[in-house]
Amino acid sequence: MERRSVIKNIGGLMLVPSLINSSKEKKPVLRVAHLTDVHLKNELEAPAKFAKCLRHVQQQSPKVDFILNGGDIVFDMNKENLTNINSQWKLLEDIIKAESSIPAHYCLGNHDVWWSENNKGQAVYGKQYTLDKLSLTKPYYSIEKGGWKFIILDSVHLDLDNTWYIGKLGDEQFAWLENELKNTNPATPILVLSHIPILTATLMIKDNIVNKWEMSGGNMHTDTAKIINLFYRHPNVKICLSGHVHLRDKVQYNNVTYICNGAVSGAWWKGNNKQTAPGYGVLDLYADGSFEEKYVNY
């Protein structure tokens, strides 16, 4: 009888750890959806498909707390006339009002900049039109939610010859980012959002390569090394989200995870872009800086 009692007690003790684990199961502090490269226009059934995407986001369980929009919000502002630009934004506003109740924070993409040479004298030239639409004072900023800091960068700048764009921060924004990281509590995990990828492997996925790859400064940040060196000094930088290339990849470097998500518009509303179907990212963020993420087709 004594031996049976000992065995029974041991069995009871062996059950304790599993009971403890189940009662303290880790739960995310935030669930975030990353929608990028919507390229909204009134063609190719884009409005209906975007509305379907927004409904899909709102059907996620657990619910999404907010959306990070990674830029290229409307189809294209670069060389368009103001009438077409106004209609693209009006379409966006109408769909958001009708279909989405989730708050969103926006990053500017290269197609969200008005670089028509014939309109340089207008007050809304460049990024100002989009900043006004989004009620932003600057194209880069930070917010804090659920114990995480979110840093939204402006990665689109005129090239050296002032004719087209390249991916970079520039001296003023880099100094701001440096100061932002320095003044953030090291215990606060950080997610960085840019339109153009800071680091991606997708640029290797090209056809007809003979003996070397050629990379455009418009497809990935040209100041990648400088930014990576900065992040290395701040281990609380955990995630860098981007879009722009309409392809999905995930690269880990120096314990930072660089996630390039596919486009809501896929191949500009014409199906898959290579092997990446239209979709969006979902991220579960935890208090300790860990996270889980997935790419969702809608």
Side-chain angles (χ1 to χ4, degrees):
M1 292 294 295
E2 185 177 347
R3 183 170 177 271
R4 288 184 191 143
S5 177
V6 170
I7 291 173
K8 185 177 180 181
N9 287 337
I10 290 173
L13 287 170
M14 289 175 70
L15 291 173
V16 170
S18 61
L19 291 171
I20 292 173
N21 288 340
S22 63
S23 66
K24 293 186 177 181
E25 184 180 350
K26 189 167 72 170
K27 294 182 179 180
V29 293
L30 286 170
R31 171 166 267 208
V32 179
H34 175 225
L35 277 64
T36 187
D37 297 272
V38 174
H39 288 283
L40 187 63
K41 63 177 178 177
N42 202 10
E43 297 176 40
L44 301 173
E45 301 181 15
K49 292 173 183 175
F50 180 45
K52 178 184 176 183
C53 177
L54 290 172
R55 291 193 293 269
H56 197 275
V57 172
Q58 291 170 104
Q59 290 165 1
Q60 287 288 334
S61 181
K63 290 185 177 181
V64 168
D65 293 296
F66 63 93
I67 291 170
L68 289 173
N69 187 306
D72 283 0
I73 304 163
V74 294
F75 186 72
D76 188 21
M77 291 176 57
N78 291 161
K79 309 293 182 181
E80 287 288 341
N81 61 57
L82 196 55
T83 300
N84 289 342
I85 291 170
N86 287 337
S87 66
Q88 288 179 40
W89 278 90
K90 177 66 164 57
L91 182 62
L92 176 82
E93 290 161 3
D94 289 347
I95 293 174
I96 294 292
K97 183 178 180 180
E99 299 292 348
S100 181
S101 61
I102 303 178
H105 302 282
Y106 290 84
C107 173
L108 272 62
N110 52 293
H111 287 274
D112 304 320
V113 184
W114 193 27
W115 278 333
S116 176
E117 288 84 355
N118 297 327
N119 299 286
K120 285 185 177 179
Q122 297 210 28
V124 291
Y125 175 76
K127 299 171 184 175
Q128 193 58 51
Y129 181 104
T130 300
L131 292 177
D132 290 346
K133 285 292 185 182
L134 300 176
S135 300
L136 294 174
T137 56
K138 279 190 171 185
Y140 54 90
Y141 57 100
S142 70
I143 55 175
E144 293 194 33
K145 292 176 181 285
W148 278 68
K149 173 169 274 193
F150 300 84
I151 296 178
I152 290 85
L153 297 177
D154 174 22
S155 54
V156 181
H157 296 268
L158 280 171
D159 204 342
L160 299 176
D161 60 3
N162 289 326
T163 60
W164 206 227
Y165 69 90
I166 58 173
K168 66 176 184 178
L169 297 181
D171 293 339
E172 180 182 324
Q173 186 180 183
F174 186 85
W176 172 85
L177 176 60
E178 205 169 22
N179 193 58
E180 192 75 18
L181 295 178
K182 179 182 176 182
N183 292 326
T184 300
N185 186 329
T188 300
I190 295 173
L191 183 153
V192 176
L193 174 68
S194 67
H195 177 68
I196 297 175
I198 294 171
L199 183 64
T200 179
T202 60
L203 303 186
M204 306 293 181
I205 307 171
K206 291 187 177 182
D207 299 322
N208 304 318
I209 298 298
V210 179
N211 72 332
K212 64 180 179 180
W213 288 274
E214 293 182 1
M215 298 185 186
S216 164
N219 287 335
M220 190 172 79
H221 267 252
T222 56
D223 50 1
T224 297
K226 189 177 179 181
I227 296 172
I228 283 174
N229 288 337
L230 176 61
F231 288 168
Y232 187 68
R233 303 200 301 269
H234 299 276
N236 52 331
V237 177
K238 303 297 183 182
I239 311 166
C240 291
L241 293 178
S242 68
H244 185 54
V245 292
H246 296 221
L247 297 172
R248 155 77 179 183
D249 82 339
K250 182 162 61 173
V251 176
Q252 190 170 39
Y253 190 81
N254 287 344
N255 295 318
V256 179
T257 303
Y258 297 83
I259 301 167
C260 183
N261 273 318
V264 171
S265 63
W268 299 266
W269 301 112
K270 294 179 181 178
N272 295 2
N273 187 37
K274 294 188 184 292
Q275 295 83 28
T276 300
Y280 60 93
V282 177
L283 298 97
D284 290 314
L285 308 179
Y286 295 88
D288 62 0
S290 61
F291 63 93
E292 296 172 353
E293 65 87 31
K294 60 184 177 180
Y295 184 66
V296 179
N297 304 126
Y298 64 89

